């Protein structure tokens, strides 16, 4: 059978992982903790000056990265992903390919060894959306983003919520947060998915916090971090809190750290060194080392925007740069 036949049948393509090398990938905010294999996964990052044809996948075990097989989805930007902790699978959905007309509606899963091409039906072509795994209900969620063709300007944003059960997408809600591109995280202590802020039509930024209970969204508060998008969020399982870092108001980039304890947001005072202002960083809680890891993001250097290759970790007391 050919590679295309295998993919059409939803079968896995397996390749041997490459050995660890002292490299530093860049250009992705999709960072996840793979509890089954005790490692961090980074989706869609590349090496400097590299143009990848297939979606790249990297694994981090301190102190180095290793590149995993790439015989899977085509390379894309503005995609979203979530890690299904119940099945031990990374789920990637949608995004934009080589040009604005190459918009994707495909769903892929990585099982730790191989990529699997899943159904491309359901939510349709989408980019700039948010995803999170809802552990309490065993479903991967997708919210918002853009569905209009790339040639449409300005591109309207959506407010629909979809859930993926490992076989199909189902529409779960059409109300809740206003249309936007945003960030979500699963709060496993309180059994809800938390959504904060984002950017909507006409570049309006939001500062509202919403919770998903498996049936509907509920507005929790409008108080907390200033309005922003491009912020990073992670759930510290040991402390039972959501952490939020950085993002942009449009006029400025942030370097602040906030903590959600289930009732209110509070800004965390940080003494000493810390990551600089940035937008679009990735963040994930590494349960193996009991640290929250921050990766990359877009930073301004001498007035120009560039991709950061920095890695930092937060131990609830201080930031430490690890790469």
């Amino acid at each position: 059978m050919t590679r295309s036949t295998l993919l059409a049948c939803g079968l896995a393509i397996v390749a041997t992982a490459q050995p660890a090398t002292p490299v530093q990938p860049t250009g992705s905010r999709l960072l996840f903790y793979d509890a089954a294999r005790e490692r961090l996964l980074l989706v869609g990052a590349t090496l400097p000056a590299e143009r990848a044809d297939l979606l790249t996948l990297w694994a981090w075990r301190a102190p180095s990265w290793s590149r995993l097989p790439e015989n899977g989805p085509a390379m894309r930007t503005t995609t979203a992903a979530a890690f299904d902790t119940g099945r031990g699978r990374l789920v990637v959905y949608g995004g934009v390919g080589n040009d604005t007309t190459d918009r994707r509606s495909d769903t892929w899963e990585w099982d730790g060894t191989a990529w699997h091409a899943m159904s491309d039906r359901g939510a349709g072509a989408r980019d700039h959306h948010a995803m999170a795994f809802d552990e309490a209900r065993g479903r991967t969620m997708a919210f918002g983003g853009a569905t209009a063709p790339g040639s449409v300007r300005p591109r309207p944003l959506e407010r629909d919520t979809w859930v993926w059960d490992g076989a199909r997408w189902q529409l779960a809600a059409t109300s809740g947060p206003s249309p936007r591109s945003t960030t979500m995280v699963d709060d496993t202590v309180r059994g809800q998915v938390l959504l904060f802020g984002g950017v909507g039509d006409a570049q309006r930024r939001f500062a509202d916090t919403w919770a998903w209970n498996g049936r509907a969204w509920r507005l929790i508060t409008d108080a907390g971090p200033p309005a922003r998008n491009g912020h990073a969020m992670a759930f510290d399982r040991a402390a039972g809190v959501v952490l939020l870092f950085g993002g942009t108001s449009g006029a400025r980039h942030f370097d602040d750290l906030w903590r959600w304890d289930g009732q209110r947001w509070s800004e965390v005072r940080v003494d000493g060194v810390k990551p600089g202002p940035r937008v679009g960083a990735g963040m994930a809680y590494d349960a193996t080392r009991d640290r929250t890891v921050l990766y990359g993001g877009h930073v301004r250097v001498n007035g120009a925007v560039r991709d950061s290759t920095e890695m930092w970790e937060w131990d609830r007391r201080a930031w430490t740069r690890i790469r």
Side-chain angles (χ1 to χ4, degrees), residues 139-269:
R139 298 289 186 269
T140 295
M141 293 177 56
F143 172 84
T147 60
S151 58
V152 175
R153 291 291 185 271
R155 296 184 69 201
L157 295 167
E158 306 295 339
R159 66 187 304 181
D160 50 350
T161 302
W162 293 77
V163 295
W164 169 258
D165 63 4
R168 64 187 61 84
W169 286 102
Q170 294 180 309
L171 181 63
T174 56
S175 60
S178 59
R180 66 186 71 184
S181 175
T182 187
T183 306
M184 302 191 300
V185 68
D186 188 31
D187 180 339
T188 59
V189 168
R190 285 158 281 274
Q192 60 189 13
V193 173
L194 202 73
L195 179 155
F196 174 80
V199 60
D201 296 329
Q203 294 298 298
R204 178 189 174 193
R205 266 80 179 183
F206 302 99
D208 46 355
T209 303
W210 294 76
W212 172 258
N213 64 7
R215 299 179 303 277
W217 288 102
R218 177 173 62 92
L219 176 63
I220 298 178
T221 181
D222 288 314
R228 68 189 66 195
N229 69 292
H231 46 287
M233 294 175 71
F235 184 70
D236 181 337
R237 284 178 176 259
V241 298
V242 172
L243 295 174
L244 181 152
F245 178 85
T248 181
S249 67
R252 59 170 288 208
H253 288 1
F254 296 105
D255 63 353
D256 49 352
L257 179 66
W258 291 77
R259 180 179 182 270
W260 170 260
D261 62 6
Q263 296 184 342
R264 63 184 62 84
W265 286 103
S266 58
E267 187 170 4
V268 180
R269 178 176 176 177

